[in-house]
Amino acid sequence: MEDFFKKNFNKFHMIGVVFGIVFSMVYWVKKGQFSDNVLKSSPVLMAIWGVLVGYILFDLMFNAKNRDNS
C-alpha cells in the first residue's frame, strides 16, 4: 500500500492539488459565484474540480519529466 501512495501521490501531485484548489477558488470568486451553472455556483464542487484537474495536470507533467530522464 505504501508503494502505491509513493508512486501515485508525490510532491508534484500535492503541488498540483494545491494549485488546482487555489485557481478554482479564484475562478469561483471572479466568475462563478453568481452563475446559474451547478458546477460554477458551488465552491465545494469547484474545489473538487480543481483538485482533479490539478492532480491530472501535474501527473502528466511529472510523467513527461520521468520519460525524458529515462
Side-chain angles (χ1 to χ4, degrees):
M1 191 72 167
E2 287 182 24
D3 293 334
F4 175 79
F5 283 113
K6 284 182 181 179
K7 182 179 177 185
N8 295 317
F9 204 67
N10 57 24
K11 65 181 177 180
F12 290 107
H13 296 119
M14 290 293 292
I15 293 169
V17 167
V18 170
F19 274 120
I21 290 173
V22 168
F23 287 125
S24 67
M25 289 296 103
V26 168
Y27 178 78
W28 179 77
V29 168
K30 296 286 184 182
K31 299 286 182 184
Q33 196 170 8
F34 302 110
S35 175
D36 291 338
N37 188 339
V38 174
L39 179 64
K40 289 181 182 177
S41 64
S42 172
V44 174
L45 291 176
M46 282 299 294
I48 292 171
W49 182 254
V51 166
L52 292 174
V53 169
Y55 179 87
I56 291 170
L57 181 67
F58 276 71
D59 184 54
L60 290 172
M61 291 177 7
F62 176 70
N63 287 335
K65 185 183 120 186
N66 283 345
R67 202 171 329 125
D68 289 341
N69 288 339
S70 38

